[in-house]
Amino acid sequence: MKIKNLETFQLSAPLAIPFGWSQDTISSRSVGLVKITTDDGIVGWGEGCGGPSAAVVEDILAPLIVGEDPTNRLKLWQKMFHSLYNANLAVGYGGSAISAIDTALWDITGKILGLPIYDLLGGRIRNSVPVYATGLYYTEGEMPTRLLAEARGYVESGFIGMKTKIGGLKIEDDVNRVKAIRDEIGPDIKLMVDANQAYNVSSAIRIGQKLAHLDLVWFEEPVNAQDIDGYLSVKSSLPMAIAGGENLRTRYEFQQFLSRRAYDIVQPDIINVGGISEMRNVAMTANTMGIQVNPHVWGSPIMIAASLHVAATLPPCPPSGNPEPFVQETVMEYDRTPSAIRDDISPETFKLTNGRLQVPTGPGLGITVDEKAVRSLSS
Ligand code: MG
């Protein structure tokens, strides 16, 4: 069996209410998908080729993989990586382009063998993965009613934790905003904050100290994503765990962060890090070093499913007979902000039960992608 052709899609869906984080405000959601078809007509889907990544997929990587055996995932991963490495393109959009193709190849391989991806990875450790709600972004006129109703809604839906943004307001205003959320959800629900790199070291420590009494599980991306020493300074100065890694590509970008233990919690993103192959490599390395892996997930059902398959195979960190989410057990991000892309291209795929998502059990990714919906959302 050989790879016959490859197609990319740029999906976009407008938002009724624009929302923002420290670096940006958006009025639409967007996702880049790749569809790979074999000469036998088997189709695999991958995600990660949004914007300029699509050009890397189409112009550089597609000619390398068309005609190849799609089940040779690791060989093709290396081939793609080395085609970009010497020009320093395996980072950034190049890493995302590899991610999209790699995930599609795992989807195809699973469909050929009739096995879900978690079985290709060695079998699952858990049938469902604990998730937390990502939402509580900045929206105009949110305080207090709309923001707190959103937080209450996550509790009522059964989420065991949720994450909000900081770094978009003055420090005092952000602290008051997080405090209002904590007061609303009570002490038993886990709460995390994400600055999206908004601070320098001293500002991150300053707001972290002011937030310390709110029992936050982690403070995500406090400083620039590449600032290892900044991470180490913040980490040694604050009581909550420090998390990051969603923007890094390949195990080579993670190497120093992991070996110097710059994170308490690492959050590789399957559409950035290099797909299922590299997610697994980074995750198992981190797990070996006692660094918790809580995957970053913000996209379509394709990346949600791909992330669930890998998360299903990760051992508790450290090994534990009774692992607890947020303590030893991996928890996965579950984006709850409005997204027609997430809701329409594979509807009814994921159901939250007791704060967990079931891992799809069908072959490959185990989800059905509605290509009509993909095309209707494509630009
Ligand atoms: Mg984040």
Side-chain angles (χ1 to χ4, degrees), residues 132 137 163 165 194-196 220-221 246 267 296 333:
Y132 66 88
Y137 283 67
K163 189 169 78 187
K165 295 297 178 183
D194 183 1
N196 296 97
E220 180 170 322
E221 288 203 308
E246 67 185 67
Q267 302 170 298
H296 179 264
E333 178 167 31

Side-chain angles (χ1 to χ4, degrees), residues 15 28 36 39 48 66 84 96 104 110 144 148 160 169 210-211 225 240 244 292 304 307-308 321 331 373:
L15 291 166
S28 65
I36 297 179
D39 54 2
V66 170
L84 302 174
S96 295
L148 300 184
I160 56 176
L169 305 175
K210 288 175 185 286
L211 291 167
M240 71 284 278
Q292 185 64 264
I304 297 172
S307 305
L308 280 171
V331 290

